[in-house]
Amino acid sequence: MTTSPQWHRNGTSQQRVWGWLGVQRYLHQHDYGIDFYRDGRKILARDKRLFTFTEESEDFMEYPADPPAKGRLVGEIHCDHVPVNFTHTAFDYDSAEWRGVVHAIRGPGPLAPLRAQKLGFLPNTSPLARLFGAFRRNDPGLRCLIPGDGVRALHETAATWAELFHKGDPAYQSDEAWYDTALRHDTPAPTPTVVDDRIDLAHLDPEDLSDLVHRLYMDLHGPTEGPRELIGPGEATTVFRDRPRSGERWVLQTRRTQHAVPLETVHALAGQMLDVQAARGILVTSGWYGASSRAFAARSGRIDLVDGRALKSLLREHLGIEARLRLRRLPPEWGVGDLD
């Protein structure tokens, strides 16, 4: 950023302030600030006094404003008309000429808009104030010209590249590395979408869940064990056609739910077992059972209660099917891992 030439009249002479202000590619704790020249001789190097505002005889450092406490605003200002001390190592900071330079570069008020408004100053449109407003923050990305990795700013990396720049490394003489890394921060590579193709037992269609459970129990009971007839929601299934007709009859029921199965459902299974003279009843659910249901099944001695986490395990072990349970809350005595 180049400052527009500023002219100040002093009697019949014209006083010119010229040069440039800019933003270097890296943050540094000390290596930033403005160089001031008089008649081609550098009087001040990396000077930071224009980053300070004096309010009621107290100096407030306005830049750097955001963490980390490092800066990158730089510049080169020529002001040949400003008087200097006899050793040419400092300007006369009490002179009207120096105050004119300060006014031309940073304006009469604070750089920060809110502080300027609070103190009653008009908006600061000076060259340094405009640069401060654009680059006071150190957020990664193109907005602040800060390299980033998509998550955080890479300040140390930028400083390392700057060292290579000063050493003359041809790969870092242009700003391509800084710019490209800031751009990539703003447009990171899309994260591959992970498709979860596991069956959600708690939201599976009730008929599909019944069919899946029926398939599971047909697989569980091979040719040497199990009932002659497995009675489910539909017609009875003859599991082993060569077994004697006196073979056992089992009743299999399935309940899809995201809650605890009511005790009345377990009572109903016991009633159906009595009606068809079944030797065993199996109640499978995607939810869970309360203590009263488990106690009733234990007293019966002929009822098996299979909850959602047990069903998940059986499906994985016997059918190689991975499943999950998106329940509305974590059942008692379950862990979070029982749902996934």
Side-chain angles (χ1 to χ4, degrees):
M1 176 179 181
T2 303
T3 65
S4 301
Q6 303 291 324
W7 297 85
H8 302 275
R9 289 190 178 274
N10 182 9
T12 59
S13 65
Q14 291 182 328
Q15 302 170 353
R16 182 173 181 246
V17 180
W18 63 278
W20 58 267
L21 297 174
V23 183
Q24 65 185 7
R25 303 170 186 174
Y26 58 97
L27 294 167
H28 198 276
Q29 190 170 5
H30 307 291
D31 186 18
Y32 69 97
I34 304 173
D35 297 339
F36 288 90
Y37 289 78
R38 185 180 188 274
D39 296 328
R41 179 174 180 174
K42 186 184 293 187
I43 307 300
L44 300 175
R46 290 298 198 241
D47 190 76
K48 302 169 179 60
R49 70 190 67 234
L50 265 63
F51 300 143
T52 300
F53 179 72
T54 302
E55 179 185 344
E56 297 180 353
S57 301
E58 184 176 355
D59 291 337
F60 292 92
M61 179 64 72
E62 295 189 276
Y63 181 81
D66 288 358
K70 299 178 181 180
R72 58 182 179 139
L73 298 186
V74 293
E76 179 181 300
I77 302 300
H78 296 258
C79 47
D80 299 338
H81 63 285
V82 180
V84 294
N85 63 7
F86 71 95
T87 60
H88 285 221
T89 57
F91 291 100
D92 181 357
Y93 303 119
D94 293 326
S95 66
E97 292 84 355
W98 174 255
R99 290 195 296 270
V101 171
V102 174
H103 188 282
I105 301 302
R106 64 154 290 145
L111 298 174
L114 292 180
R115 179 179 289 274
Q117 183 180 19
K118 179 181 178 182
L119 297 178
F121 286 91
L122 293 175
N124 194 336
T125 59
S126 67
L128 186 59
R130 296 202 306 272
L131 200 64
F132 171 84
F135 296 102
R136 62 174 293 178
R137 296 185 62 85
N138 298 317
D139 300 328
L142 289 181
R143 168 65 182 80
C144 298
L145 295 178
I146 295 287
D149 62 2
V151 178
R152 63 187 181 278
L154 300 177
H155 296 307
E156 297 302 325
T157 300
T160 299
W161 292 344
E163 293 178 3
L164 296 173
F165 164 78
H166 289 302
K167 292 178 180 178
D169 190 321
Y172 295 94
Q173 294 309 296
S174 74
D175 61 1
E176 184 176 355
W178 287 266
Y179 182 88
D180 288 347
T181 309
L183 176 62
R184 285 198 299 271
H185 175 87
D186 290 340
T187 56
T191 303
T193 302
V194 178
V195 178
D196 190 346
D197 57 356
R198 294 175 298 168
I199 297 175
D200 181 9
L201 300 175
H203 291 79
L204 194 63
D205 182 86
E207 291 187 5
D208 291 340
L209 181 61
S210 294
D211 291 343
L212 182 63
V213 170
H214 183 269
R215 175 185 164 194
L216 171 66
Y217 275 84
M218 290 287 289
D219 184 84
L220 275 172
H221 302 289
T224 60
E225 60 175 325
R228 180 174 61 85
E229 288 183 326
L230 184 65
I231 302 175
E235 297 181 357
T237 300
T238 302
V239 179
F240 306 118
R241 299 181 184 277
D242 57 345
R243 289 179 62 85
R245 293 187 60 83
S246 59
E248 289 185 345
R249 177 177 293 173
W250 291 5
V251 173
L252 175 66
Q253 291 186 355
T254 305
R255 292 291 182 272
R256 190 207 69 180
T257 181
Q258 298 181 48
H259 306 282
V261 175
L263 176 60
E264 292 76 8
T265 302
V266 184
H267 288 168
L269 172 62
Q272 186 183 9
M273 290 169 57
L274 181 63
D275 183 57
V276 300
Q277 299 181 350
R280 180 164 296 277
I282 307 168
L283 183 58
V284 182
T285 182
S286 57
W288 68 95
Y289 300 99
S292 56
S293 295
R294 293 195 298 268
F296 179 84
R299 289 196 300 270
S300 166
R302 298 188 300 130
I303 296 178
D304 295 334
L305 301 180
V306 180
D307 61 17
R309 62 178 175 178
L311 176 59
K312 276 182 52 187
S313 178
L314 289 171
L315 289 172
R316 181 187 303 111
E317 179 180 356
H318 295 279
L319 299 184
I321 294 176
E322 295 292 336
R324 60 173 178 159
L325 292 164
R326 287 197 296 124
L327 302 179
R328 294 182 179 177
R329 68 182 182 90
L330 190 65
E333 301 178 4
W334 285 30
V336 175
D338 293 327
L339 302 179
D340 286 327

